[in-house]
Structures are given as structure tokens and as C-alpha cells.
């Protein structure tokens, strides 16, 4: 897990600690850590030293639909965790909105198509 840089920290906004994610998903923290190892979620180290997941990844009591495959695509394209977060939270006029907003709105196919295109 990477240390987050201030500009990316600012565009992500709200963060959840690993125990917070576990609580929201009604899972043990060890299962959340497994989701991180499996790249179904991304976490970075915040300036205060805590490892955190963007709050936008969680919708009420579940991971937003479409997210679990996207980090793998981005990492396969050579992105580091913090770079993948920056891509997910950066506005794209052609989507419209950000890739994470599109995922939350069930427009994951287009987001994943764009993520795959980054490899070429």
C-alpha cells in the first residue's frame, strides 16, 4: 500500500479506516484485508499513518458494483495504488463525471473499457 500524496488525498475526499470498512460491510477486519490483497478494494496510507479506503468505494453496506475488477485492470496497466485512485477520482468530461461516480451509477462497463484501453 502506497502513501497518498496531498493532491490525490484532496480529490478523494472522505476516507474510512480498515475497521470502519469492516463495520460497514459487516465483515471481520481480516476479510477486508483479504479484499485489499485480492485488489477488490484499494487502500493507501494517509498522512496520519492510518491505512484507509475511499468512502466512495462503499455504498451503505456493500462495495459499489463494478469496483472489484477495476483496480486489477488499472494495476495491470502499470498504475500504482495512488495513481489508480487519482484516475478513479479525476473528472472525465467524456464520461461525464469521474470514473468512481460512473461505477456508483452502474456504468462500470464504460469505466472498465477505458481502464483496459490504458494498457495500449
Amino acid at each position: 500500500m502506497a502513501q497518498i500524496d496531498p493532491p490525490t488525498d484532496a480529490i478523494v475526499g472522505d476516507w474510512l479506516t480498515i475497521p470502519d470498512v469492516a463495520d460497514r460491510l459487516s465483515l471481520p477486519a481480516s476479510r477486508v484485508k483479504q479484499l485489499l490483497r485480492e485488489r477488490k478494494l484499494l487502500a493507501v496510507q494517509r498522512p496520519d499513518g492510518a491505512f484507509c479506503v475511499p468512502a466512495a468505494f462503499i455504498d451503505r453496506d456493500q462495495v459499489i458494483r463494478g469496483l472489484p475488477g477495476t483496480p486489477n485492470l488499472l494495476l495491470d496497466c502499470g498504475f500504482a495504488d495512488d495513481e489508480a485512485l487519482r484516475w478513479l477520482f479525476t473528472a472525465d468530461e467524456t464520461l461525464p463525471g469521474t470514473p468512481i461516480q460512473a461505477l456508483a451509477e452502474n456504468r462500470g462497463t464504460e469505466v472498465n473499457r477505458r481502464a483496459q484501453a490504458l494498457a495500449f
Side-chain angles (χ1 to χ4, degrees):
M1 288 181 238
Q3 171 100 21
I4 191 74
D5 60 279
T8 304
D9 191 8
I11 65 170
V12 170
D14 295 329
W15 296 88
L16 299 170
T17 63
I18 303 301
D20 291 338
V21 173
D23 185 52
R24 286 209 184 171
L25 298 177
S26 299
L27 296 172
S30 61
R31 176 67 178 122
V32 173
K33 290 176 184 175
Q34 182 178 351
L35 292 172
L36 292 168
R37 283 190 302 274
E38 293 171 352
R39 300 294 196 190
K40 293 181 179 178
L41 287 175
L42 289 175
V44 292
Q45 188 174 16
R46 303 271 330 283
D48 64 3
F51 286 95
C52 295
V53 172
F57 286 2
I58 310 297
D59 181 22
R60 289 181 229 119
D61 62 349
Q62 60 187 354
V63 175
I64 62 169
R65 188 172 184 213
L67 178 69
T70 306
N72 275 328
L73 286 173
L74 294 169
L75 297 170
D76 287 348
C77 291
F79 281 60
D81 290 358
D82 59 330
E83 294 168 327
L85 286 175
R86 192 173 315 116
W87 185 83
L88 285 166
F89 285 88
T90 299
D92 181 341
E93 295 174 9
T94 64
L95 268 176
T98 64
I100 198 66
Q101 288 170 329
L103 288 170
E105 296 167 358
N106 293 320
R107 295 185 287 135
T109 302
E110 182 60 20
V111 172
N112 287 331
R113 185 190 67 74
R114 290 166 192 244
Q116 286 173 329
L118 294 171
F120 300 103

